[in-house]
Amino acid sequence: PARLINSKTLQSEHFRKIADAMAERLGKLPIKIFSHTWPKIEDVQAVAIQSKCRVLFLDYLQRCRYPDTKKGEPRTYQIGDFMRRLKSFAQESEITVIMACQLNRRRDKDKDAPTMSDLSDSGSVENESDKVALLWEREFETIKPAPGNKGLEWIMAKNRRGRSGANVTARL
């Protein structure tokens, strides 16, 4: 599949095979769901250490709490501090962090593909992330609109140690 992704020739049937294989493998993993509302960085770290996870899924950045910041400090500073602390923790613990992040509201009106600048509070996300992938639900350009013309595009916006800009599209 990596060859197909890199050559941008991945088809819908490949997505089904990949999803099935991932579901089978993920079903065997010891996955802990952390559903704490408004977690602090210390909460996230404690759960990661306690569960001995190798991959941490965090949904989503803007729902995290930033208690160590000064009163009146801009939210971008708070998120920047959280991102730096999370990245340091991930590097020290040798774990992978996969985190969802909200897009700016103006994205709803824009027909162009999203970019990293569309991420809410994007500066620290851009700086601290090794990889940034953006998912974009879009209409395929066809001669006449039809219900099956929607697709989901995966945009590799940043890849610190590899190729970026490779887009993969699947019809929905």
Side-chain angles (χ1 to χ4, degrees), residues 66-78 81:
Y66 318 102
D68 296 338
T69 54
K70 298 176 184 114
K71 188 176 181 176
E73 191 171 48
R75 185 161 171 79
T76 53
Y77 292 165
Q78 297 171 9
D81 180 61

Side-chain angles (χ1 to χ4, degrees), residues 13-104:
E13 65 268 12
H14 298 123
F15 279 97
R16 173 59 38 217
K17 289 178 184 176
I18 291 169
D20 290 344
M22 287 176 62
E24 183 180 326
R25 293 188 82 186
L26 287 173
K28 296 175 184 173
L29 295 176
I31 294 175
K32 177 165 177 48
I33 297 178
F34 177 62
S35 59
H36 190 282
T37 309
W38 299 101
K40 297 181 289 191
I41 185 70
E42 294 82 8
D43 300 331
V44 173
Q45 291 170 331
V47 167
I49 290 167
Q50 214 170 38
S51 64
K52 298 178 182 162
C53 71
R54 304 303 312 141
V55 179
L56 173 67
F57 293 88
L58 188 56
D59 183 22
Y60 60 97
L61 175 62
Q62 285 78 10
R63 290 284 311 240
C64 296
R65 214 170 4 146
Y66 318 102
D68 296 338
T69 54
K70 298 176 184 114
K71 188 176 181 176
E73 191 171 48
R75 185 161 171 79
T76 53
Y77 292 165
Q78 297 171 9
I79 289 177
D81 180 61
F82 185 91
M83 288 293 297
R84 281 185 293 283
R85 292 171 68 188
L86 183 62
K87 182 165 186 171
S88 293
F89 171 73
Q91 288 173 331
E92 290 165 11
S93 306
E94 297 180 343
I95 65 170
T96 298
V97 176
I98 298 173
M99 179 172 38
C101 184
Q102 213 172 26
L103 293 178
N104 293 323

